[in-house]
Amino acid sequence: MNKRVDIPSNGFAHDEIDQNNSGNETFQHVLQARLSRRGLLRGGVGTAATAVMGSLGLSACGGGNNDNDAAFVEKPSYFSKLGFAAVPKSLADLVAVPAGYTASVIYALGDPLNASTPAYKNDGSEADFDNRAGDHHDGMEYFGLNVSGTERQDNSSNRGLLVMNHEAITDQFLHVAGTTSGTRPASESYKEITAHGISIVEVARSNAGVFTTNNSSAFNRRITPLTPVTLSGPVKGNALVKTLYSKDGTAARGTINNCGTGVTPWGTYLSGEENWAGYFGRVISDNTARGGATARSVVSLNRYGRAVSATAGAASRHGWETSGTDDIYKRWNISQTGSSTDGTDDYRNELNTFGYIVEVDPYDKTAAVRKRTALGRFAHESASFATPVEGKPLVVYMGDDSQGEYMYKFVSATNWSAADAAASNRIAVGDKYLDSGKLYVAKFAADGSGSWIELNISNSAIAAYASYKFADQADVLVNARLAADAVGATKMDRPEWCAVHPQTGEVYYTLTNNSNRKIDATSAQFVVDAPNPRAYQDAKIGGSLGSAGNINGHIIRTKDTGANPAATSFNWDVYLFGAEAGADASKINLSALTNDQDFSSPDGIWFSKKTGLCFIQTDDGAYTDVTNCMMLIGVAGKVGDGAKATLSYTKADGSALSVDTYVGAKPAADQLRRFLVGPKDCEITGCTETPDGRALFVNIQHPGETITKANIGDSSKFLSHWPGSIGFGAGGALARPRSATVVITKNDGGLIGS
Ligand code: FEO
Ligand code: CA
Ligand code: CA
Ligand code: CA
């Protein structure tokens, strides 16, 4: 077979070479390329011509594909180089993409999810977020629908469901005159609560190749912090999760601070609960009520960020607990207020019902939303599956995003049966694979190796841990951070998302930054080590100094031994060190990033199944004097493709400190390029594609989030007006900024990245 057809080739497919660098293609050119490709797939141009003309008639020149052309849609076309021109760094209040690409807004904060809900006025007046897009769009996945929009069809690129997280809120913009401080009016709290959670919204591609949402789809819905969910796995029914809401500890209410995502092999959505702890408050006397500072529940609360001091309680983020006696507000106060011994008369255990990977069946509104407790409780980001292998366990990689936290993986007890991929009761399949298994934490060695340590109560380091007496295996999962402490896991520079390279199976973890990574560290800080080797100071425009530590972050990657994702050992190196292009190449810019490639604070990371390209998104506060947050695309190599490097430091006492690390191959100009720069004061997050690789969905989170109540009435003080300023929705040039989903297509209909 001609090796220029659209099959894995470690190079551009034929049509991508032809369409590259040629500006906007004529329809005839695209047609010829498709005739060539499809004809070859089917054994000859002549025999396929009629059928191909039919399918192109449906999709015109916008990059659409016949939904029935599964053989074409599912074939990867792995790229060995990038074909677009890098987007310059920018401080403009716009989404910039390369020449030849178009980015269009399709779904922003407040957009209606049904036909009876009016358009968003974007003036803070709406209250009905149960029927509207939530705020702070984050991780996102695409689930295909058949042509008639009635059921799951994984290979469909023309119609599907976008499922996305709404991580948090820019609260001032949700209200007409900003927030009320002190005692929060219930109406404000209710609005803020329901602007969190998850959206499911149908999208479809027109014959002209334009994506829009379908706001009358029967699949559209919101999941919020008030939606009933069930606890599943080993923690279900445990004493640690009994609350006034669920006295038998089997259920919980809603999900919050949903950040990264995952897709299961059976077609469901996974959502990671990240910074959930801060929404809950504790009064200063709560330690005493719980039995003193050494009480087990107090040790746990301290480890998960809800410590009270001698002089102050732990304040909740939004004060929702002040909004009255209704249970939906009371629950945000997790102080022990009742007299029961088991916590079923208050919300002292409420915090233990958050911090999980949550599974949602996007195709079935009636299916239970499950919290998968076997995957551990921490500040979850993404949940990325190793490629499933028949008869082998499923493996899910995960990170815990806080300074000095850990990298984890889950290995299912049940071996994979490919027949389950198409099962109709998808949540039952989730029960089969995600409720029982082993949870491991990563421990790195300085020689480039590492081990996965199982978090099991039978491990003597856990059973005999002096700082916390674990009651049972459910306790180990609820307090996974404490168990990981007990086994000496490696403290990392904030593990954010992780993603599995579809060709190599290697796992890429973003370590976003760590201002507490030091050369000379106190007990509350972290000393530079091989996998987290940098500590340096940011230089700002104008000559002042910014933060110190590992301020730009890095992307570490692991290769499980024997190409077996369930292995308990691995090798590692650093794919990329974030840095400014002009920074010291011996200490900071170790990956030799150029002006077309430099970035800071990697957060989202995702691989295209179609092209194998690596998408890197930033959530930065260090390089933002020079550029807004961005997305880059890379052709990722493999562990060991670079070289060892030695970083030399001088400690405060004058002694020398040297740290060896492993730097991946320095990216050539066509191996890593900036693809997108977002509007002002935003984060770029969430990345998913249509199965044909020709439409990419990306979220712009919290543009212009820096706003005070005092300035809410003065639009000249808003840092961003996007996307109203480009004509999307109400408000025009002076609009309140809105988090939003953009869809990116290549003007010639080509693959993203070509
Ligand atoms: Fe929500 Fe750690 O990113
Ligand atoms: Ca700087
Ligand atoms: Ca993020
Ligand atoms: Ca982040």
Side-chain angles (χ1 to χ4, degrees):
M1 180 177 271
N2 186 322
K3 68 181 181 183
R4 297 200 307 172
V5 299
D6 195 4
I7 57 173
S9 61
N10 281 332
F12 286 98
H14 177 212
D15 57 325
E16 307 315 322
I17 288 175
D18 286 352
Q19 291 174 38
N20 189 24
N21 302 325
S22 56
N24 293 344
E25 295 298 314
T26 63
F27 173 69
Q28 193 60 33
H29 185 108
V30 177
L31 174 62
Q32 286 302 326
R34 294 213 178 138
L35 281 170
S36 165
R37 176 181 64 235
R38 291 172 185 234
L40 285 164
L41 279 171
R42 290 172 173 137
V45 172
T47 56
T50 306
V52 170
M53 289 299 285
S55 77
L56 284 170
L58 282 174
S59 56
C61 56
N65 283 295
N66 184 336
D67 279 349
N68 296 320
D69 195 353
F72 163 66
V73 166
E74 292 171 354
K75 290 274 190 194
S77 178
Y78 297 131
F79 282 15
S80 61
K81 61 180 180 177
L82 303 169
F84 59 90
V87 174
K89 286 167 280 196
S90 167
L91 292 169
D93 193 27
L94 292 167
V95 171
V97 292
Y101 285 81
T102 298
S104 306
V105 182
I106 58 168
Y107 183 62
L109 163 69
D111 278 347
L113 283 169
N114 55 49
S116 60
T117 298
Y120 193 55
K121 296 200 290 286
N122 196 23
D123 57 7
S125 61
E126 287 89 352
D128 49 348
F129 281 88
D130 294 310
N131 297 311
R132 297 181 180 278
D135 205 351
H136 284 215
H137 300 33
D138 205 315
M140 171 172 54
E141 305 287 353
Y142 177 94
F143 295 86
L145 283 175
N146 63 349
V147 171
S148 51
T150 53
E151 62 184 16
R152 173 184 176 190
Q153 183 182 323
D154 290 348
N155 63 20
S156 168
S157 290
N158 288 339
R159 191 164 189 163
L161 301 174
L162 278 184
V163 188
M164 75 185 70
N165 292 333
H166 297 290
E167 184 182 33
I169 55 174
T170 305
D171 53 2
Q172 300 298 345
F173 286 127
L174 291 180
H175 308 291
V176 173
T179 61
T180 301
S181 55
T183 299
R184 302 296 317 282
S187 60
E188 289 186 13
S189 292
Y190 187 87
K191 186 191 293 195
E192 293 172 14
I193 292 167
T194 55
H196 287 77
I198 296 169
S199 276
I200 299 172
V201 61
E202 184 179 317
V203 293
R205 179 154 51 186
S206 72
N207 286 351
V210 177
F211 270 96
T212 52
T213 59
N214 171 11
N215 77 356
S216 60
S217 170
F219 291 100
N220 292 353
R221 62 173 158 138
R222 288 293 317 288
I223 293 163
T224 77
L226 302 178
T227 303
V229 304
T230 60
L231 294 172
S232 203
V235 177
K236 178 182 180 180
N238 190 272
L240 293 173
V241 288
K242 291 180 176 172
T243 65
L244 179 58
Y245 177 76
S246 178
K247 295 185 178 182
D248 63 0
T250 60
R253 187 165 34 194
T255 184
I256 203 163
N257 209 269
N258 305 82
C259 185
T261 57
V263 178
T264 66
W266 50 94
T268 62
Y269 177 78
L270 299 180
S271 175
E273 296 180 316
E274 188 193 6
N275 292 312
W276 36 274
Y279 289 85
F280 298 88
R282 288 175 72 208
V283 297
I284 194 168
S285 59
D286 191 40
N287 279 5
T288 304
R290 288 171 181 266
T294 60
R296 292 171 65 252
S297 69
V298 174
V299 174
S300 171
L301 287 160
N302 292 348
R303 186 63 180 84
Y304 281 84
R306 291 291 82 196
V308 298
S309 74
T311 54
S316 69
R317 183 185 289 198
H318 295 291
W320 296 331
E321 71 279 5
T322 65
S323 291
T325 55
D326 191 308
D327 206 46
I328 66 172
Y329 304 120
K330 272 197 322 194
R331 65 185 297 215
W332 305 100
N333 175 10
I334 55 170
S335 304
Q336 181 166 328
T337 56
S339 57
S340 70
T341 55
D342 63 1
T344 56
D345 58 348
D346 60 20
Y347 285 102
R348 77 187 73 157
N349 291 329
E350 184 77 348
L351 202 67
N352 292 334
T353 70
F354 289 88
Y356 298 103
I357 292 292
V358 182
E359 184 176 6
V360 176
D361 184 345
Y363 299 106
D364 185 357
K365 284 180 171 172
T366 68
V369 175
R370 295 267 208 252
K371 294 203 174 184
R372 297 296 182 190
T373 65
L375 280 66
R377 174 173 166 269
F378 41 89
H380 276 284
E381 296 278 341
S382 64
S384 187
F385 280 77
T387 302
V389 176
E390 180 76 17
K392 301 287 188 188
L394 294 178
V395 178
V396 186
Y397 299 91
M398 302 169 287
D400 180 359
D401 179 15
S402 201
Q403 289 182 353
E405 293 300 344
Y406 308 120
M407 291 161 40
Y408 296 83
K409 76 174 177 184
F410 170 82
V411 178
S412 69
T414 306
N415 290 330
W416 174 239
S417 168
D420 286 329
S424 57
N425 189 346
R426 287 169 288 270
I427 284 293
V429 177
D431 294 345
K432 179 177 175 182
Y433 294 105
L434 297 181
D435 282 349
S436 177
K438 294 178 178 177
L439 183 65
Y440 295 87
V441 69
K443 183 169 187 170
F444 286 76
D447 66 357
S449 68
S451 52
W452 290 105
I453 305 173
E454 187 188 348
L455 299 180
N456 193 298
I457 188 84
S458 66
N459 180 327
S460 60
I462 294 174
Y465 189 45
S467 300
Y468 182 84
K469 179 69 180 160
F470 291 94
D472 49 30
Q473 182 61 19
D475 196 0
V476 170
L477 296 169
V478 169
N479 289 293
R481 284 180 173 176
L482 287 163
D485 293 344
V487 302
T490 304
K491 298 178 189 302
M492 307 298 289
D493 285 347
R494 294 185 55 195
E496 293 256 17
W497 296 39
C498 58
V500 177
H501 192 305
Q503 286 172 282
T504 66
E506 294 177 1
V507 191
Y508 288 64
Y509 276 87
T510 52
L511 303 171
T512 194
N513 57 56
N514 186 353
S515 58
N516 268 323
R517 185 64 64 177
K518 304 291 181 186
I519 301 158
D520 294 280
T522 69
S523 61
Q525 298 168 337
F526 311 98
V527 187
V528 287
D529 60 11
N532 306 278
R534 294 186 307 168
Y536 50 98
Q537 190 151 25
D538 185 20
K540 312 305 286 185
I541 285 182
S544 62
L545 292 174
S547 303
N550 176 16
I551 50 165
N552 302 128
H554 55 292
I555 303 172
I556 204 162
R557 59 187 168 190
T558 59
K559 174 192 178 82
D560 286 320
T561 301
N564 171 19
T568 55
S569 61
F570 61 87
N571 287 98
W572 64 270
D573 73 2
V574 174
Y575 169 43
L576 295 169
F577 284 94
E580 301 181 20
D584 181 340
S586 69
K587 287 190 169 66
I588 304 172
N589 190 12
L590 300 176
S591 298
L593 303 180
T594 68
N595 273 312
D596 288 343
Q597 302 170 320
D598 60 343
F599 67 92
S600 176
S601 302
D603 185 342
I605 189 163
W606 174 84
F607 284 94
S608 164
K609 283 194 166 60
K610 179 68 180 175
T611 61
L613 292 175
C614 181
F615 291 70
I616 300 160
Q617 302 173 316
T618 70
D619 171 16
D620 188 39
Y623 206 14
T624 43
D625 53 338
V626 172
T627 182
N628 299 337
C629 286
M630 63 182 72
M631 182 169 77
L632 304 99
I633 305 182
V635 180
K638 57 186 180 182
V639 170
D641 64 9
K644 189 172 180 176
T646 301
L647 280 71
S648 300
Y649 297 105
T650 304
K651 300 174 71 171
D653 65 4
S655 62
L657 174 70
S658 76
V659 178
D660 288 342
T661 192
Y662 301 88
V663 185
K666 296 176 172 68
D670 61 1
Q671 302 292 291
L672 179 70
R673 280 180 188 155
R674 193 176 301 105
F675 180 80
L676 177 151
V677 180
K680 291 182 177 178
D681 208 21
C682 80
E683 164 185 347
I684 308 299
T685 185
C687 198
T688 190
E689 65 188 345
T690 50
D692 63 6
R694 292 167 199 276
L696 186 80
F697 301 90
V698 173
N699 279 327
I700 309 299
Q701 189 186 85
H702 65 64
E705 70 164 343
T706 308
I707 179 73
T708 62
K709 179 179 169 68
N711 287 337
I712 197 71
D714 180 357
S715 59
S716 72
K717 300 279 174 52
F718 302 174
L719 293 188
S720 171
H721 301 285
W722 188 92
S725 54
I726 58 163
F728 186 88
L734 299 177
R736 295 178 177 203
R738 300 161 74 187
S739 293
T741 304
V742 297
V743 60
I744 300 167
T745 49
K746 200 172 180 207
N747 299 344
D748 64 11
L751 295 171
I752 302 299
S754 63

